[in-house]
PDB file of all heavy atoms in Angstrom:
ATOM      1  N   TYR O 581     -92.469  99.212 -31.646  1.00  0.00           N
ATOM      2  CA  TYR O 581     -91.639  98.601 -30.585  1.00  0.00           C
ATOM      3  C   TYR O 581     -91.307  97.167 -30.933  1.00  0.00           C
ATOM      4  O   TYR O 581     -90.142  96.724 -30.734  1.00  0.00           O
ATOM      5  CB  TYR O 581     -92.493  98.696 -29.269  1.00  0.00           C
ATOM      6  CG  TYR O 581     -91.761  98.199 -28.056  1.00  0.00           C
ATOM      7  CD1 TYR O 581     -90.804  98.986 -27.475  1.00  0.00           C
ATOM      8  CD2 TYR O 581     -92.070  96.970 -27.498  1.00  0.00           C
ATOM      9  CE1 TYR O 581     -90.168  98.537 -26.318  1.00  0.00           C
ATOM     10  CE2 TYR O 581     -91.456  96.522 -26.324  1.00  0.00           C
ATOM     11  CZ  TYR O 581     -90.547  97.337 -25.808  1.00  0.00           C
ATOM     12  OH  TYR O 581     -89.915  96.831 -24.658  1.00  0.00           O
ATOM     13  N   VAL O 582     -92.328  96.385 -31.390  1.00  0.00           N
ATOM     14  CA  VAL O 582     -92.041  95.005 -31.606  1.00  0.00           C
ATOM     15  C   VAL O 582     -91.285  94.834 -32.953  1.00  0.00           C
ATOM     16  O   VAL O 582     -90.462  93.984 -33.110  1.00  0.00           O
ATOM     17  CB  VAL O 582     -93.371  94.170 -31.608  1.00  0.00           C
ATOM     18  CG1 VAL O 582     -94.016  94.185 -30.266  1.00  0.00           C
ATOM     19  CG2 VAL O 582     -94.367  94.663 -32.662  1.00  0.00           C
ATOM     20  N   GLN O 583     -91.682  95.631 -33.945  1.00  0.00           N
ATOM     21  CA  GLN O 583     -90.950  95.522 -35.216  1.00  0.00           C
ATOM     22  C   GLN O 583     -89.479  95.932 -35.041  1.00  0.00           C
ATOM     23  O   GLN O 583     -88.579  95.371 -35.616  1.00  0.00           O
ATOM     24  CB  GLN O 583     -91.568  96.461 -36.275  1.00  0.00           C
ATOM     25  CG  GLN O 583     -92.918  95.899 -36.779  1.00  0.00           C
ATOM     26  CD  GLN O 583     -93.535  96.703 -37.848  1.00  0.00           C
ATOM     27  OE1 GLN O 583     -93.409  97.986 -37.801  1.00  0.00           O
ATOM     28  NE2 GLN O 583     -94.186  96.119 -38.825  1.00  0.00           N
ATOM     29  N   TYR O 584     -89.204  96.847 -34.135  1.00  0.00           N
ATOM     30  CA  TYR O 584     -87.843  97.322 -33.870  1.00  0.00           C
ATOM     31  C   TYR O 584     -87.018  96.130 -33.192  1.00  0.00           C
ATOM     32  O   TYR O 584     -85.870  95.971 -33.593  1.00  0.00           O
ATOM     33  CB  TYR O 584     -87.887  98.482 -32.971  1.00  0.00           C
ATOM     34  CG  TYR O 584     -86.534  98.994 -32.603  1.00  0.00           C
ATOM     35  CD1 TYR O 584     -85.725  99.633 -33.593  1.00  0.00           C
ATOM     36  CD2 TYR O 584     -85.976  98.964 -31.298  1.00  0.00           C
ATOM     37  CE1 TYR O 584     -84.442 100.078 -33.332  1.00  0.00           C
ATOM     38  CE2 TYR O 584     -84.703  99.464 -31.068  1.00  0.00           C
ATOM     39  CZ  TYR O 584     -83.996  99.997 -32.021  1.00  0.00           C
ATOM     40  OH  TYR O 584     -82.743 100.527 -31.734  1.00  0.00           O
ATOM     41  N   ALA O 585     -87.679  95.417 -32.364  1.00  0.00           N
ATOM     42  CA  ALA O 585     -86.946  94.266 -31.724  1.00  0.00           C
ATOM     43  C   ALA O 585     -86.564  93.304 -32.846  1.00  0.00           C
ATOM     44  O   ALA O 585     -85.416  92.786 -32.764  1.00  0.00           O
ATOM     45  CB  ALA O 585     -87.934  93.533 -30.733  1.00  0.00           C
ATOM     46  N   HIS O 586     -87.402  93.009 -33.739  1.00  0.00           N
ATOM     47  CA  HIS O 586     -87.098  92.035 -34.824  1.00  0.00           C
ATOM     48  C   HIS O 586     -85.925  92.684 -35.707  1.00  0.00           C
ATOM     49  O   HIS O 586     -85.024  91.963 -36.081  1.00  0.00           O
ATOM     50  CB  HIS O 586     -88.320  91.866 -35.676  1.00  0.00           C
ATOM     51  CG  HIS O 586     -88.142  90.773 -36.790  1.00  0.00           C
ATOM     52  ND1 HIS O 586     -87.716  91.098 -38.066  1.00  0.00           N
ATOM     53  CD2 HIS O 586     -88.143  89.473 -36.690  1.00  0.00           C
ATOM     54  CE1 HIS O 586     -87.597  90.026 -38.736  1.00  0.00           C
ATOM     55  NE2 HIS O 586     -87.806  88.952 -37.941  1.00  0.00           N
ATOM     56  N   ALA O 587     -86.111  93.924 -36.186  1.00  0.00           N
ATOM     57  CA  ALA O 587     -85.034  94.556 -36.930  1.00  0.00           C
ATOM     58  C   ALA O 587     -83.694  94.531 -36.267  1.00  0.00           C
ATOM     59  O   ALA O 587     -82.669  94.335 -36.793  1.00  0.00           O
ATOM     60  CB  ALA O 587     -85.473  95.960 -37.276  1.00  0.00           C
ATOM     61  N   ARG O 588     -83.777  94.820 -34.933  1.00  0.00           N
ATOM     62  CA  ARG O 588     -82.528  94.850 -34.151  1.00  0.00           C
ATOM     63  C   ARG O 588     -81.859  93.472 -34.097  1.00  0.00           C
ATOM     64  O   ARG O 588     -80.646  93.421 -34.317  1.00  0.00           O
ATOM     65  CB  ARG O 588     -82.962  95.270 -32.698  1.00  0.00           C
ATOM     66  CG  ARG O 588     -81.731  95.617 -31.832  1.00  0.00           C
ATOM     67  CD  ARG O 588     -82.213  96.060 -30.525  1.00  0.00           C
ATOM     68  NE  ARG O 588     -81.626  97.307 -30.084  1.00  0.00           N
ATOM     69  CZ  ARG O 588     -81.880  97.894 -28.933  1.00  0.00           C
ATOM     70  NH1 ARG O 588     -82.719  97.348 -28.086  1.00  0.00           N
ATOM     71  NH2 ARG O 588     -81.263  98.988 -28.555  1.00  0.00           N
ATOM     72  N   ILE O 589     -82.680  92.443 -33.917  1.00  0.00           N
ATOM     73  CA  ILE O 589     -82.064  91.071 -34.016  1.00  0.00           C
ATOM     74  C   ILE O 589     -81.450  90.731 -35.376  1.00  0.00           C
ATOM     75  O   ILE O 589     -80.308  90.274 -35.496  1.00  0.00           O
ATOM     76  CB  ILE O 589     -83.138  90.027 -33.738  1.00  0.00           C
ATOM     77  CG1 ILE O 589     -83.619  90.179 -32.210  1.00  0.00           C
ATOM     78  CG2 ILE O 589     -82.602  88.641 -33.948  1.00  0.00           C
ATOM     79  CD1 ILE O 589     -84.785  89.308 -31.886  1.00  0.00           C
ATOM     80  N   CYS O 590     -82.154  91.209 -36.439  1.00  0.00           N
ATOM     81  CA  CYS O 590     -81.568  90.977 -37.777  1.00  0.00           C
ATOM     82  C   CYS O 590     -80.334  91.749 -37.904  1.00  0.00           C
ATOM     83  O   CYS O 590     -79.274  91.215 -38.508  1.00  0.00           O
ATOM     84  CB  CYS O 590     -82.554  91.398 -38.799  1.00  0.00           C
ATOM     85  SG  CYS O 590     -84.109  90.372 -38.837  1.00  0.00           S
ATOM     86  N   SER O 591     -80.241  92.878 -37.353  1.00  0.00           N
ATOM     87  CA  SER O 591     -78.993  93.719 -37.475  1.00  0.00           C
ATOM     88  C   SER O 591     -77.856  93.009 -36.745  1.00  0.00           C
ATOM     89  O   SER O 591     -76.777  93.038 -37.232  1.00  0.00           O
ATOM     90  CB  SER O 591     -79.344  95.132 -36.834  1.00  0.00           C
ATOM     91  OG  SER O 591     -78.158  95.803 -36.739  1.00  0.00           O
ATOM     92  N   ILE O 592     -78.117  92.508 -35.534  1.00  0.00           N
ATOM     93  CA  ILE O 592     -77.106  91.791 -34.819  1.00  0.00           C
ATOM     94  C   ILE O 592     -76.548  90.621 -35.637  1.00  0.00           C
ATOM     95  O   ILE O 592     -75.392  90.352 -35.720  1.00  0.00           O
ATOM     96  CB  ILE O 592     -77.582  91.333 -33.439  1.00  0.00           C
ATOM     97  CG1 ILE O 592     -78.053  92.489 -32.578  1.00  0.00           C
ATOM     98  CG2 ILE O 592     -76.535  90.520 -32.709  1.00  0.00           C
ATOM     99  CD1 ILE O 592     -78.806  92.137 -31.358  1.00  0.00           C
TER     100      ILE O 592
END
Side-chain angles (χ1 to χ4, degrees):
Chain O
Y581 184 77
V582 296
Q583 288 184 323
Y584 181 66
H586 185 265
R588 192 179 230 181
I589 292 171
C590 292
S591 170
I592 298 169

